[in-house]
Amino acid sequence: MTTAGLRRGLLRGRRPLPRRYVPVLVTTGLLIAMFAAGGVRYENFATGQIVLNVFVDNAYLLVVAIGMTFVILTGGIDLSVGSVIALSTMVSATLISDGWAPLPVIGLVLLMGALLGLGMGAIIQYFEIQPFIVTLAGMFLARGLCYVINTESVKITDPLIVALGETHVPLGPELWVSPSVIIALVVLLAAIYVLQYTRFGRGVYAVGGSEQSALLMGLPVARTKMAVYTISGFCSALGGVLFAFYTLSGWSLHALGTELDAIAAVVIGGTLLTGGYGYLFGTVLGVLVLGLIQTILNFEGTLSAWWTKIVIGLLLFAFILLQRLIGARGGQAPPTPS
Amino acid sequence: MAAPEPILRMRGIGKQFPGVRALDGVDFRLLPGEVHALMGENGAGKSTLIKVLTGVYEIDAGQIELAGRPVAFSSPLAAQQAGISTVYQEVNLCTNLTVAENIFAGREPRRMGRILWREMRRRAAELLARLEIDVDVTAPLSSCSLAVQQMVAIARAVDIDARVLILDEPTSSLDAGEVAQLFRVMRRLKDQGIAILFVSHFLDQVYEIADRMTVLRNGRLVGEYRTAELPQVELVAKMIGRELAELKALEDRPPEPDGAPLIEARELSRTGAIQPFSLTIHRGEVLGLAGLLGSGRTELARLLFGADHATSGTLRVDGKETALRTPRAAMGHGIAFCSENRRAEGLVPGLTVRENLLLALQATRGWARPLPRARQEELVEKYINALNIRPADPEQLVRNLSGGNQQKVLLARWLILEPRLLILDEPTRGIDVGAKTEIQRLVAELSGGGMAVLFVSAELEEVLRLSHRVGVLRDRRLVAELENGEQLTTDRLMETIASGAAS
């Protein structure tokens, strides 16, 4: 319902806009404003390829943020995604340079990511440990495993992977995207379908709304919670594969801090950190906002790369406050116990 | 109405918890198409009976028959599948989802695994229309009032083919209009032949909706009655467990206070907690608050302490209008509040008696100015002696003290502040007789010394013995303010509680 719901919400016009769409709309407005500002300030900025380049550069982040959205919708968090990306690039690069065929390697890496996620989900569910702690452990574990495999960067020279990394899929005159973008968009559409049109997807929202209630309503809470971490693990591994396409290498220090970028993208996209509210469409916008900040700073040229972090930090503050305000207006005072 | 076969029959139900016999040989039956109220004071065994019925607890003795067949449920889900659905006081739904989703969550109509949203909305709308609930099924549940949320919960419950519907205090956070709406829905369900078990502390509501009622007291069955044949006063007597004639007035009344108004509340209220009330408390006066559990006693007290915000009305302290926004502000005006729930809200069990005693005093001084040790010991010794706290060891951990002595520690903590108004919420509940009389004596002494006391208690004798005036609460409304004199007896108090008017 993300895009369709948004459109319907806009078309209804007369009716006051449902509050749950406000964060998404704010992010949309922000994105348009940023793009317009860039277009006014720099020549050659307001072109289609600039937007497409944001997709090309951040396809892996989009996939990871999609997995993160599932987790955050249940009220959890996954800090391991950046390390799983690095581990995935490392495993892929090492196995391929050892002479394995690329496709089985990719399959293996995806399975590894999913299993890692499932393991963390099971620990979170059955030992009732905070997701923060469990995935923090997963983060150290995956990053550490990278160094066990190799402390140096490993180059990928396999022709198929190089082709996937360097092919330009033409979209029109002077417009192109990489195959990774198409993979990311397929994942996005599948994820939107799952969240909106399956019992599992609605269960994710229900668990995020109130785990206790979901349990009493007879929903499979344990299965849902473990599934979201599995999805996140899978998405991180896939993100790692896309990252390997992008950089044509495996390295222990790849994607340092990407977990925080993914969380920032999800939050800027309007998903509530406490769970239950948010749309994947917003996550796409969040990723675009982060990517566009980077692009603008590149155009500016003279500014230090740390300005990206500063702007993201300020945006996060603003969006968390916005969520708080919306939440405060919507919240009912809990009844006083007698 | 010829009595039809009961849909549900419970016989000789017993349930033992460590140290407590929660249910003892209780019989209960529920007829199809009736609203049956389960009545009793707190701790009478109402919720235990419901939990036994819905499979939360196992029974130790007795049997349960549903539609003539013996049953034993291992979980609420199993009970639900057998046709016994429960709607609790707190609505157990997901407020972030739409109304339709909440009704169908986990049972959404699907084709090839794809949720049919249109079909789901249509069926939800149909279901709610059948119950005459007018609500947009695509609206998020959080945008609905609590009453509508409650009814959505009921709609969900009855759609799972319920034959027995248990409503555990569904009305406690609803206003009058919402209650009427709920009752309309209940009557419709009753007409469809569903048996409804209804629990409420509001006597008026019980008399409005229930056909029959079963009264429990201390885990035992008192009796089953037709609502029409049991006057309210008799019901209250059966719940409390004393014949009216036996209750007589007590001899020693406290002396008249002679002080200026300390606190004046004008039309103070809090939506969902207590209706507007006006109340004045004078210096040196003990004002008692009487009423059944859930009648709004604690809510009223919390408003005066600033623990909750008033939604309307004004409050004057010493004749000056003040908004008590926080307990800290109230403490600044010399108001102290000794809470009902001493374990959860008052004492810190892992700290010593001395530390607990000095907590509030230290808080008012601020952490930067610690109290000198010598002064601490002096104060602690004084209050341990004054209140006769046993054991008289300031370094003993509070969790090792008996309930009565814990209560005294909590009381002493506030007394150290030398408040001008002391609010005592059920100070004597659950403590032994000796400690009880000591606390009562202390209250009398304090008011003699000029302190105003708001004394909340479920025990009418206690309220009468100590109070100069008695405020009577019922259904979250202050229904009467009675001067405590010769004419005021527990009899009359009970009648006032039952009838809701000062007679």
Side-chain angles (χ1 to χ4, degrees):
Chain A
M1 198 164 63
T2 38
T3 46
L6 193 69
R7 209 176 320 120
R8 209 174 316 126
L10 286 168
L11 285 180
R12 270 184 202 155
R14 294 294 138 72
R15 260 177 63 165
L17 195 72
R19 209 170 34 235
R20 55 202 154 136
Y21 298 138
V22 172
V24 173
L25 287 175
V26 171
T27 311
T28 313
L30 178 72
L31 197 62
I32 293 170
M34 280 169 64
F35 192 70
V40 169
R41 195 163 156 78
Y42 316 110
E43 274 179 56
N44 305 330
F45 187 92
T47 62
Q49 191 55 43
I50 291 293
V51 179
L52 293 179
N53 280 346
V54 171
F55 274 103
V56 170
D57 293 340
N58 293 288
Y60 79 99
L61 182 61
L62 178 58
V63 171
V64 172
I66 287 167
M68 186 69 81
T69 308
F70 276 83
V71 172
I72 292 183
L73 276 177
T74 63
I77 197 95
D78 188 350
L79 297 180
S80 71
V81 296
S83 302
V84 174
I85 291 176
L87 184 63
S88 303
T89 64
M90 203 67 195
V91 170
S92 315
T94 309
L95 288 180
I96 288 172
S97 65
D98 283 355
W100 287 48
L103 287 178
V105 168
I106 289 173
L108 191 72
V109 163
L110 296 183
L111 184 68
M112 174 198 74
L115 284 179
L116 211 69
L118 177 65
M120 289 190 293
I123 292 172
I124 290 164
Q125 174 62 29
Y126 289 111
F127 294 95
E128 290 173 21
I129 301 174
Q130 294 293 323
F132 185 93
I133 297 298
V134 176
T135 58
L136 185 71
M139 168 177 134
F140 285 122
L141 181 75
R143 189 70 74 178
L145 280 175
C146 295
Y147 290 97
V148 172
I149 298 171
N150 202 331
T151 51
E152 305 291 316
S153 165
V154 181
K155 270 200 151 28
I156 301 176
T157 49
D158 182 88
L160 177 68
I161 304 287
V162 172
L164 280 169
E166 294 182 344
T167 303
H168 288 194
V169 180
L171 288 184
E174 316 236 330
L175 293 178
W176 60 271
V177 293
S178 62
S180 297
V181 174
I182 291 167
I183 294 174
L185 289 180
V186 169
V187 172
L188 175 69
L189 290 178
I192 287 177
Y193 178 85
V194 167
L195 270 188
Q196 295 305 324
Y197 290 106
T198 65
R199 276 191 193 168
F200 164 71
R202 303 319 297 168
V204 168
Y205 280 93
V207 169
S210 163
E211 195 174 327
Q212 185 61 28
S213 294
L215 204 62
L216 286 172
M217 285 157 94
L219 302 181
V221 173
R223 218 170 0 143
T224 306
K225 275 175 68 185
M226 287 193 294
V228 294
Y229 288 97
T230 311
I231 289 174
S232 179
F234 176 85
C235 286
S236 314
L238 183 58
V241 170
L242 300 188
F243 200 79
F245 294 169
Y246 186 65
T247 59
L248 293 179
S249 69
W251 192 26
S252 316
L253 291 176
H254 270 332
L256 269 181
T258 298
E259 58 279 352
L260 304 181
D261 289 340
I263 294 169
V266 173
V267 171
I268 290 175
T271 299
L272 223 55
L273 272 173
T274 45
Y277 293 91
Y279 300 102
L280 280 169
F281 182 66
T283 298
V284 177
L285 297 177
V287 170
L288 290 181
V289 166
L290 294 192
L292 211 54
I293 293 172
Q294 188 69 57
T295 309
I296 288 177
L297 290 171
N298 287 346
F299 265 80
E300 193 62 37
T302 55
L303 283 176
S304 145
W306 287 105
W307 278 101
T308 319
K309 304 282 176 199
I310 292 169
V311 175
I312 293 174
L314 291 175
L315 276 181
L316 265 184
F317 273 126
F319 272 83
I320 290 166
L321 284 179
L322 175 77
Q323 291 188 352
R324 186 76 209 146
L325 290 177
I326 291 168
R329 261 191 298 142
Q332 275 173 318
T336 326
S338 51
Chain B
M1 174 165 82
E5 269 303 291
I7 175 89
L8 178 79
R9 189 191 283 279
M10 301 172 85
R11 263 190 280 242
I13 301 294
K15 177 70 195 170
Q16 181 99 28
F17 292 116
V20 192
R21 182 166 280 278
L23 289 175
D24 186 8
V26 173
D27 297 334
F28 179 75
R29 59 192 188 118
L30 198 54
L31 309 181
E34 74 163 346
V35 175
H36 192 123
L38 191 57
M39 304 297 295
E41 285 225 299
N42 215 31
K46 297 184 307 264
S47 35
T48 311
L49 191 73
I50 288 177
K51 284 179 175 161
V52 157
L53 175 58
T54 54
V56 178
Y57 299 147
E58 282 176 29
I59 45 174
D60 298 335
Q63 54 192 9
I64 306 175
E65 280 176 19
L66 184 65
R69 278 204 306 276
V71 287
F73 303 119
S74 56
S75 72
L77 199 64
Q80 205 176 71
Q81 278 157 0
I84 301 181
S85 286
T86 314
V87 174
Y88 294 97
Q89 180 180 356
E90 329 79 58
V91 181
N92 284 308
L93 295 174
C94 295
T95 51
N96 60 325
L97 303 181
T98 65
V99 170
E101 283 199 84
N102 269 296
I103 295 175
F104 286 103
R107 306 179 295 118
E108 296 95 342
R110 292 186 298 179
R111 188 181 303 137
M112 317 250 296
R114 183 183 195 276
I115 292 176
L116 303 170
W117 282 88
R118 199 181 296 260
E119 163 90 357
M120 183 164 97
R121 292 195 197 106
R122 187 181 58 73
R123 276 170 50 183
E126 262 175 30
L127 180 64
L128 291 175
R130 260 211 321 275
L131 296 174
E132 290 181 2
I133 303 163
D134 180 29
V135 55
D136 175 10
V137 296
T138 61
L141 193 69
S142 57
S143 70
C144 301
S145 67
L146 267 177
V148 170
Q149 294 188 19
Q150 198 101 50
M151 279 177 269
V152 169
I154 292 173
R156 179 181 169 85
V158 297
D159 192 54
I160 314 177
D161 200 21
R163 285 181 290 179
V164 175
L165 180 63
I166 301 171
L167 300 176
D168 191 1
E169 298 228 30
T171 56
S172 53
S173 34
L174 305 187
D175 69 29
E178 293 169 333
V179 169
Q181 198 181 357
L182 175 69
F183 281 3
R184 258 206 324 278
V185 170
M186 283 170 69
R187 290 199 183 94
R188 278 199 84 80
L189 293 173
K190 182 174 111 169
D191 293 342
Q192 291 168 17
I194 293 175
I196 300 175
L197 174 57
F198 177 68
V199 178
S200 173
H201 282 295
F202 301 129
L203 298 184
D204 279 348
Q205 295 177 0
V206 169
Y207 273 84
E208 188 184 335
I209 191 83
D211 303 306
R212 291 185 311 138
M213 54 177 91
T214 294
V215 181
L216 298 180
R217 188 175 66 238
N218 295 331
R220 288 168 178 279
L221 178 71
V222 175
E224 185 196 277
Y225 310 91
R226 277 183 183 284
T227 312
E229 292 164 6
L230 186 70
Q232 287 207 18
V233 179
E234 271 182 51
L235 171 65
V236 173
K238 285 185 195 306
M239 283 164 63
I240 297 177
R242 292 184 198 105
E243 287 304 317
L244 290 183
E246 287 175 21
L247 300 163
K248 59 180 197 308
L250 289 141
E251 297 298 309
D252 48 341
R253 302 286 172 170
E256 279 303 301
D258 194 22
L262 180 64
I263 276 205
E264 299 161 84
R266 291 267 165 281
E267 295 298 311
L268 210 59
S269 81
R270 178 176 165 84
T271 312
I274 185 142
Q275 310 264 359
F277 66 91
S278 297
L279 195 65
T280 306
I281 306 175
H282 301 86
R283 284 175 220 283
E285 178 184 48
V286 181
L287 177 68
L289 279 187
L292 293 175
L293 190 102
S295 57
R297 299 173 310 197
T298 300
E299 288 79 355
L300 189 154
R302 285 175 64 94
L303 275 186
L304 294 184
F305 186 54
D308 293 322
H309 290 201
T311 40
S312 75
T314 58
L315 190 68
R316 285 163 180 274
V317 181
D318 294 326
K320 279 203 293 286
E321 195 167 321
T322 327
L324 294 178
R325 301 209 137 267
T326 60
R328 210 179 158 77
M331 280 159 70
H333 286 288
I335 301 172
F337 182 89
C338 207
S339 72
E340 170 179 31
N341 190 345
R342 57 180 167 265
R343 273 186 191 280
E345 290 175 21
L347 290 172
V348 187
L351 293 183
T352 64
V353 170
R354 177 178 56 82
E355 287 163 331
N356 268 293
L357 277 180
L358 296 170
L359 214 50
L361 180 62
Q362 189 64 68
T364 55
R365 288 169 64 95
W367 298 108
R369 295 194 301 136
L371 209 59
R373 185 75 188 210
R375 174 92 183 111
Q376 286 189 17
E377 274 164 13
E378 183 192 328
L379 273 174
V380 169
E381 196 189 319
K382 177 179 160 201
Y383 281 96
I384 286 182
N385 289 335
L387 273 73
N388 198 16
I389 295 172
R390 297 278 157 225
D393 172 11
E395 300 308 318
Q396 183 67 250
L397 292 187
V398 157
R399 78 158 64 91
N400 299 335
L401 267 56
S402 72
N405 281 301
Q406 288 187 355
Q407 189 65 34
K408 287 193 231 166
V409 171
L410 190 57
L411 200 55
R413 176 201 286 173
W414 292 113
L415 293 179
I416 286 181
L417 295 180
E418 297 176 342
R420 296 190 297 158
L421 169 64
L422 180 64
I423 302 172
L424 295 171
D425 194 0
E426 295 276 6
T428 61
R429 189 165 79 187
I431 64 177
D432 64 73
V433 182
K436 199 178 263 188
T437 45
E438 263 172 51
I439 286 177
Q440 290 174 359
R441 179 184 51 80
L442 194 74
V443 168
E445 272 178 30
L446 290 170
S447 79
M451 191 187 291
V453 180
L454 182 67
F455 190 83
V456 180
S457 176
E459 285 187 42
L460 300 182
E461 287 95 337
E462 190 176 75
V463 171
L464 275 183
R465 195 173 312 133
L466 290 171
S467 311
H468 300 106
R469 283 185 302 139
V470 181
V472 179
L473 286 156
R474 173 194 161 95
D475 297 357
R476 301 186 185 273
R477 192 191 298 277
L478 185 66
V479 290
E481 250 186 280
L482 308 169
E483 287 293 329
N484 194 356
E486 289 298 315
Q487 319 87 317
L488 191 61
T489 57
T490 46
D491 229 2
R492 230 193 97 199
L493 259 188
M494 212 191 281
E495 262 173 48
T496 313
I497 292 172
S499 68
S503 45

